[in-house]
Amino acid sequence: LPLLVNMCEEQTISLVDVLEEDEELEEEASAVLAGSDSDHCSYPQGYVKRQALYACSTCTPKDGEAAGVCLACSYKCHEGHDLFELYTKRNFRCDCGNTKFAELQCKLYPDKDEVNSLNKYSHNFFGVYCTCGRPYPDPDDQVEDQMIQCVVCEDWLHGRHLGCVVPDSVELQEMICESCMNKNSFLWTYAAHLVDDVTEPICKRSREEAEPCCRLKALEMLGQKRTQSGAVFWPSAWRSKLCSCNTCQEHLSAAGLSFLLDESDTVLAYEKKGKSNEHEQQGQDPLMLALDNLNRVQQLEIIHGYNDMKTELKDFLQRFAAEGKVVTPEDIRQFFEQQQSRKRRRVDAGHFYCT
């Protein structure tokens, strides 16, 4: 039976659910934020390949110009302001303190150009998303739905507004919205073969050819069609199957889509890097670092006390699980009061020493 925590008279939830949800939120935050620098403004890095971004509605209200700030500036320069979390955006340079901010100077890197002309903005920077142009979370929307980011325009769309069936493994698949598919119609050709699992043609070249044949043209010659409506969810490693001949590279560059040939551009790659950075920064366990600063007797006392508490807490909770009872805040309070009482008795009786 699952352990239960009675949070209030009307709500009873699993203790395992609480712990798992807390761990999941922590991992998600680490994945998004650990890939960005929380102490230094990212402006000197130029147009960062991908970073966590925020928009400040306090400094740049809806009737003003769109602007985005990096993670560090959201902490140091916009503390207490109303911020919109934009998750991550690609090829963006921090705007904090430039001419878009009439009354604010960046505390971390004030020497900025007046504007960042290569930055791309959308209605996301004013706190609205999707084709419906609504905020998220939306206080007027009672329908439970997930928001999914288009890998091209990077807007966030409700699953019910995508015009297609959302797959179960949505977190592992990249999505391109219908609007971006129609603006770049060659993507429909790829979708007809890569998404619908049609056998891909073998592209050969003769000795006289200076470069491999165009994979896109080979796909077009097959004439495979699909309904050109709705968003498209792409399978794993689909970017590696796009044609990278000189002609296609030029076309992608002209359309501002060169990033599609870069598998490290994906959000999954960014999050993987963030998790790796987080593990490196954590280094040694904080408890072990604290123990290193104590003498051997103090270390043994702490370890002994910790093991005792862990065993007793486990036994305490197992009783509730065996009887199918809920664990109330009062039960937890009494447990730790008993721990404190036993600790006082041990102190009165003298310290525990090992040699």
Side-chain angles (χ1 to χ4, degrees), residues 297-298 300-305 346-347 349-355:
V297 171
Q298 291 172 319
L300 289 171
E301 284 184 339
I302 289 178
I303 293 173
H304 176 79
R346 284 198 298 267
V347 170
H351 288 287
F352 173 80
Y353 293 101
C354 283
T355 58

Side-chain angles (χ1 to χ4, degrees), residues 25-38 71 75 270-286:
L25 291 172
E26 186 175 341
E27 287 184 357
E28 183 178 335
S30 295
V32 176
L33 303 182
S36 300
D37 191 333
S38 61
L71 176 64
Y75 292 156
Y270 170 85
E271 291 182 344
K272 184 177 180 180
K273 176 186 174 184
K275 291 178 181 178
S276 176
N277 289 347
E278 182 74 4
H279 290 317
E280 290 177 5
Q281 292 171 4
Q282 285 177 347
Q284 193 176 2
D285 185 270

